[in-house]
Structures are given as structure tokens and as C-alpha cells.
Amino acid sequence: MSTTTYSVSGMTCAHCVASVTEEIGELRGVRSVVVDLPTGAVTIDSDDALDDAAVEAAVEEAGYRLVYT
């Protein structure tokens, strides 16, 4: 099992959270997605480590961006 946290920019409401959760949740091996709207943190529990590019594509499909620091 793997847990990874990403930062997502542009989310402002519950609909944003639902969109990001849905898109990431469709990735193979994802068990749960928890989004903290105030901070933009998205924590993903998955069977194995996720491909960052796949997560980024899912976030972009939802209409948002990953933030790299």
C-alpha cells in the first residue's frame, strides 16, 4: 500500500473537490482520495506507487493543476 500527497491549485468549492476525487479515483489501484479544500492537499491511498504523470493527467482532466514546489 502507498500513500502520496499532492498539491492542487484552482479548487474553490465542493464541486471542485468532487471532480478531482472522481478523476483520480478512476486511476488503477487507487483505494481512496481525500481532498483538503483549504490547503489544496490531495492524499491518495493506492495499492502501489502511482505514476505522477497519470495523477497530473487526471487532475488536469478535472480542470485543475498540480503544484510542484
Side-chain angles (χ1 to χ4, degrees), residues 28-63:
R28 175 172 288 172
V30 170
R31 292 177 171 248
S32 71
V33 179
V34 177
V35 179
D36 181 23
L37 182 59
T39 65
V42 177
T43 302
I44 306 167
D45 288 329
S46 57
D47 293 332
D48 297 304
L50 294 174
D51 176 34
D52 290 338
V55 174
E56 183 171 19
V59 168
E60 288 178 357
E61 180 67 26

Side-chain angles (χ1 to χ4, degrees), residues 56-68:
E56 183 171 19
V59 168
E60 288 178 357
E61 180 67 26
Y64 307 96
R65 291 185 315 114
L66 282 185
V67 178
Y68 294 98

Side-chain angles (χ1 to χ4, degrees), residues 1 3 7 12 14 18-20 23-24 26-27 29-31 35-36 42 53-54 56 59 62 64 66-67 69:
M1 185 124 159
T3 301
S7 292
T12 59
S19 295
V20 169
E23 291 296 334
I24 293 174
E26 292 178 2
L27 296 175
V30 170
R31 292 177 171 248
V35 179
D36 181 23
V42 177
E56 183 171 19
V59 168
Y64 307 96
L66 282 185
V67 178
T69 55

